[in-house]
């Protein structure tokens, strides 16, 4: 009888452990990401139904620093909604901030950032535009875009939880061209 009780107790503890492991936020995110990735990787042409999962996967990829994967998912989002300024902005940011961008990536990022800025007058969009100009050594345009980003942030347009200090520091950094730093 004692062996049966110990066996049941062990089974109960294993079950509780599995439940805890699969219901914690990290496990749920990981499992959800794996499931969505498996579902979408076989999709040659994504549909509108795939939009939210693709945005989730792209954000997760950015969060873990996997920029090639984020880029792939943002491109899929743009195939579904080519005029989505948030997707344009997000892909632009990934393209221009990646280490060692391939040929044409900075120019593509700038074009996407410009399209996003035409559609959405938001601080974070102009921040991306400023970064795009800066990476292409278009310093005056970077300062203009960063100034606009700061103005929009001061008005609360597209600032979110980002402190105003961030936008002030970005503007100050763009004002110092690489020649000034040397």
């Amino acid at each position: 009888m004692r062996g049966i009780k110990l066996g049941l107790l062990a089974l109960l503890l294993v079950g509780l452990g599995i439940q805890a492991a699969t219901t914690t936020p990290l496990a749920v995110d990981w499992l959800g990401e794996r499931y969505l990735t498996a579902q979408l990787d076989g999709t040659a042409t994504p549909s509108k139904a795939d939009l939210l999962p693709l945005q989730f996967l792209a954000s997760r990829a950015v969060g873990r620093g996997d920029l090639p994967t984020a880029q792939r998912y943002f491109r899929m989002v743009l195939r579904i909604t080519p005029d989505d300024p948030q997707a344009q902005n997000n892909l632009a940011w990934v393209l221009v901030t990646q280490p060692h961008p391939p040929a044409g990536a900075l120019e593509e990022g700038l074009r996407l950032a410009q399209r996003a800025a035409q559609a959405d007058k938001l601080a974070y969009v102009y921040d991306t535009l400023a970064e795009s100009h800066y990476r292409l050594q278009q310093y005056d345009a970077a300062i203009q875009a960063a100034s606009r980003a700061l103005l929009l942030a001061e008005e609360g347009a597209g600032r979110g939880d980002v402190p105003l200090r961030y936008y002030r520091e970005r503007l100050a950094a763009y004002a110092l061209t690489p020649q000034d730093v040397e």
Side-chain angles (χ1 to χ4, degrees), residues 5 8 13 19 22 24 35 37 58-60 64 71 121 125 128 132 135 142 144 148 165 167 173:
K5 286 182 182 179
L8 287 174
L13 290 175
Q19 180 185 6
T22 58
T24 62
Y35 173 77
T37 300
S59 295
R60 296 275 301 164
R64 69 175 177 271
Q71 193 177 135
K121 307 301 184 227
V125 172
T128 301
S132 301
R135 298 284 177 121
Q144 271 187 307
R148 176 70 185 212
R165 178 183 73 248
Y167 291 99

Side-chain angles (χ1 to χ4, degrees), residues 108-127:
E108 180 185 6
L110 176 60
R111 283 190 305 276
L112 287 164
Q114 288 170 328
R115 286 178 56 200
Q118 287 173 350
D120 274 352
K121 307 301 184 227
L122 300 169
Y124 69 88
V125 172
Y126 276 85
D127 182 50

Side-chain angles (χ1 to χ4, degrees), residues 1 12 30 49 76 88 112 119 129 133 136 150 161 165:
M1 188 69 164
L12 176 65
W30 184 84
M76 290 174 81
Q88 292 167 344
L112 287 164
L129 182 58
H133 282 299
L136 285 164
L150 176 58
D161 295 334
R165 178 183 73 248

